[in-house]
Amino acid sequence: MSLRDQIAGNRLQLVGERDEAAAAALAVRTKSEAYQRLKREMHLTVLDRVELERLVRMPEEQIRSEIGLLIARILDERKEPANDLERRQLTIDVYDEMFGFGPLEVLLRDPTVSDILVNTAKQTYVERRGRLELTDITFYDDAHLMKVIEKIVSRVGRRIDESSPMVDARLPDGSRVNAIIPPSAVDGPLVSIRRFAVNPLQVPDLVSLQTLTPPMAEVLDGLARAKVNILISGGTGSGKTTLLNVLSGFIPNDERIVTIEDAAELQLRQQHVLRLETRPPNIEGRGEITQRSLVRNALRMRPDRIILGEVRGAEALDMLNAMNTGHEGSLATIHANTPRDALTRLENMISLAGLALPPRTMRQQIASAITVVVQAARLTDGRRKIMSISELTGLEGDVVNMQEIFTFRRTGIDSTGAVRGYFCATGVRPKFSERLQAFGVTLPENIYDPARRFETN
């Protein structure tokens, strides 16, 4: 056989395999569409035949049993071909539609999913281990997705409609939800859910995941116990809130803590915690409660520490004032790519407070209020790292002095796409060492030794 004939034969084989794959994909899609249609019909029929008021008074297992029996009866009446596995799945799906968040429930039950991204009714992505994956989860139509969104936001007293097409809310497990609908979303409703683990990550988990090293964890533990003000900086999805949860775990149990957030996400383990949450304006444009007003109110609540979920605007000035007036050991997060950018963003936010402060005055306020900036990042392979722990040492002229204590240095990317690098100290002995000693925090002598490297794999 000639080379040309071989090439032609291979091409025909590829075309045949492609046609078979397309046919298989079409069969799966057709089956999925048929199941979706059957599920919707079952849902509507069950709603017509049951008394919801009677069902809600029953235990969950009894409700599932009642729905299962009713679905079996309807399938038998309609002579629908369905095996035992499909009947059990229909029972689960119809229950989720009636009492949960519909198609999202299967993803919310999956502990490996860290983010759920719904791109209109026909497409849903998830993030697992830092990587995005397309799922086969779909909604009947945009109206079905809108019902799920309304169910989520109504449970936390929020609203979403054409006059207010964007909303931040939270699920019962603390996961954060952002939704945006038409007219702001051109192609249909969009939903993003940031999952939070039922069991929050602890320091040993972050060390085993190579997010930080044992020496870095010891220093952060000491900083929290010595009531040092810490700002956590990072981009979206870099693990700022997870790190804030971990740092809050170092706070002694006998302190009074006030948390302030747009959507309550923090999962503090202390006993004496007061959680405050912002509120958007109502349909008349009234009743808004901003982070700035909550920070001001928190100062009257006799807090030992204030934890601000994320600094976004004029509340930055009130937060810095609180840190400078007896509320030491406070924590906050901010969106920024480097520690220096974080200080620049803080300066810009102070100017939003409506006070015409000179730049030097603003920088003096920042330098005296914040001692440490912890920089977090999500690398290209999806893993989170603490890239830097830096100390603010004061103001020199018009510049805030900053020195890096620990850093992560990249050395390349391996054959699997994983980022290679190592953690190390820079060799600088921080000025806050004296404060740690004053609070009885003793660290090993070699903790700032730059020769100690911690390679990542």
Side-chain angles (χ1 to χ4, degrees):
M1 183 183 291
S2 68
L3 179 61
R4 183 177 300 175
D5 291 338
Q6 290 179 10
I7 294 173
N10 290 341
R11 185 178 298 148
L12 287 172
Q13 183 180 355
L14 287 172
V15 170
E17 290 175 354
R18 193 182 304 132
D19 289 344
E20 289 177 9
L26 179 60
V28 170
R29 187 163 64 249
T30 303
K31 184 176 180 180
S32 175
E33 290 171 356
Y35 179 80
Q36 290 286 348
R37 191 160 49 249
L38 178 61
K39 183 177 73 172
R40 186 173 193 178
E41 291 172 1
M42 286 297 107
H43 179 206
L44 296 175
T45 307
V46 169
L47 284 177
D48 286 339
R49 295 197 187 184
V50 300
E51 297 178 20
L52 282 178
E53 292 183 4
R54 180 178 67 86
L55 277 184
V56 295
R57 293 193 293 267
M58 296 180 181
E60 180 179 331
E61 287 304 317
Q62 190 176 350
I63 296 173
R64 289 183 183 275
S65 178
E66 292 272 341
I67 292 174
L69 291 172
L70 184 53
I71 286 175
R73 196 179 310 133
I74 296 169
L75 289 173
D76 291 340
E77 291 172 1
R78 296 173 49 173
K79 294 183 174 56
E80 288 279 357
N83 57 37
D84 289 342
L85 182 61
E86 290 171 333
R87 291 178 183 228
R88 283 197 297 270
Q89 190 60 48
L90 275 173
T91 301
I92 293 170
D93 290 343
V94 171
Y95 178 89
D96 290 343
E97 291 289 350
M98 295 174 67
F99 299 100
F101 300 123
L104 295 179
E105 284 291 334
V106 66
L107 300 178
L108 294 171
R109 287 192 289 263
D110 187 345
T112 66
V113 172
S114 56
D115 284 279
I116 302 171
L117 310 171
V118 182
N119 305 337
T120 72
K122 300 304 179 187
Q123 190 182 68
T124 301
Y125 281 85
V126 297
E127 181 187 280
R128 287 188 176 93
R129 295 173 289 278
R131 301 282 187 174
L132 287 179
E133 301 174 8
L134 179 63
T135 72
D136 59 356
I137 300 297
T138 59
F139 294 78
Y140 305 142
D141 49 32
D142 286 348
H144 182 206
L145 177 54
M146 276 299 304
K147 285 182 181 178
V148 173
I149 294 172
E150 288 165 359
K151 190 181 292 187
I152 291 171
V153 302
S154 64
R155 292 189 181 185
V156 290
R158 302 290 174 98
R159 67 182 182 87
I160 187 166
D161 51 40
E162 287 189 3
S163 62
S164 179
M166 296 179 288
V167 71
D168 268 324
R170 69 178 186 276
L171 298 176
D173 66 355
S175 297
R176 183 171 179 173
V177 181
N178 177 271
I180 180 166
I181 65 172
S184 295
V186 177
D187 298 319
L190 307 173
V191 182
S192 304
I193 301 177
R194 303 295 306 278
R195 295 289 311 285
F196 278 86
V198 176
N199 299 313
L201 293 175
Q202 308 290 327
V203 173
D205 300 316
L206 297 186
V207 172
S208 65
L209 292 169
Q210 298 184 334
T211 299
L212 47 68
T213 64
M216 295 166 76
E218 286 186 70
V219 170
L220 292 175
D221 181 7
L223 291 172
R225 287 192 282 140
K227 305 193 76 169
V228 171
N229 295 325
I230 301 174
L231 182 67
I232 300 171
S233 168
T236 301
S238 60
K240 297 188 300 298
T241 305
T242 298
L243 186 56
L244 187 59
N245 266 320
V246 170
L247 290 180
S248 66
F250 297 137
I251 299 174
N253 205 36
D254 59 351
E255 295 192 23
R256 180 177 171 90
I257 306 167
V258 178
T259 68
I260 299 168
E261 303 172 82
D262 270 341
E265 305 176 88
L266 294 175
Q267 299 166 300
L268 272 63
R269 296 176 293 280
Q270 286 80 358
Q271 295 177 352
H272 203 163
V273 177
L274 295 84
R275 305 171 73 202
L276 307 181
E277 187 177 53
T278 63
R279 188 178 73 184
N282 60 21
I283 197 168
E284 298 173 350
R286 300 176 183 174
E288 181 181 16
I289 299 175
T290 64
Q291 282 204 106
R292 189 175 190 188
S293 63
L294 290 177
V295 172
R296 289 178 172 177
N297 188 77
L299 298 178
R300 306 184 185 102
M301 299 171 67
R302 197 249 171 239
D304 290 313
R305 307 196 195 211
I306 296 175
I307 298 180
L308 193 58
E310 185 177 331
V311 187
R312 284 200 181 99
E315 69 273 3
L317 178 62
D318 300 280
M319 179 198 72
L320 295 175
N321 286 333
M323 289 178 168
N324 271 323
T325 54
H327 301 92
E328 296 176 314
S330 295
L331 307 170
T333 70
I334 190 170
H335 274 278
N337 292 327
T338 66
R340 182 64 65 181
D341 288 347
L343 303 187
T344 303
R345 285 210 68 209
L346 267 182
E347 191 175 329
N348 293 336
M349 291 174 188
I350 292 173
S351 64
L352 297 176
L355 300 177
L357 297 176
R360 181 179 172 80
T361 303
M362 290 190 283
R363 291 166 192 167
Q364 182 74 49
Q365 182 88 333
I366 293 170
S368 59
I370 296 171
T371 303
V372 171
V373 178
V374 180
Q375 183 68 38
R378 181 171 63 175
L379 305 182
T380 53
D381 59 6
R383 293 186 294 178
R384 277 83 172 176
K385 304 283 185 191
I386 291 183
M387 304 298 291
S388 167
I389 298 178
S390 302
E391 179 188 33
L392 276 62
T393 57
L395 201 65
E396 185 175 331
D398 288 337
V399 179
V400 178
N401 279 346
M402 183 183 293
Q403 58 185 15
E404 194 170 49
I405 311 302
F406 292 97
T407 185
F408 175 75
R409 292 179 177 152
R410 307 184 202 196
T411 57
I413 297 177
D414 65 17
S415 58
T416 65
V419 175
R420 303 303 300 270
Y422 62 90
F423 293 97
C424 67
T426 60
V428 175
R429 186 172 181 84
K431 294 177 66 176
F432 59 65
S433 296
E434 298 175 3
R435 183 180 180 93
L436 297 186
Q437 291 175 358
F439 276 79
V441 178
T442 304
L443 298 176
E445 287 294 326
N446 65 344
I447 198 165
Y448 304 117
D449 182 1
R452 299 177 68 198
R453 292 187 177 187
F454 295 82
E455 300 281 344
T456 63
N457 50 36

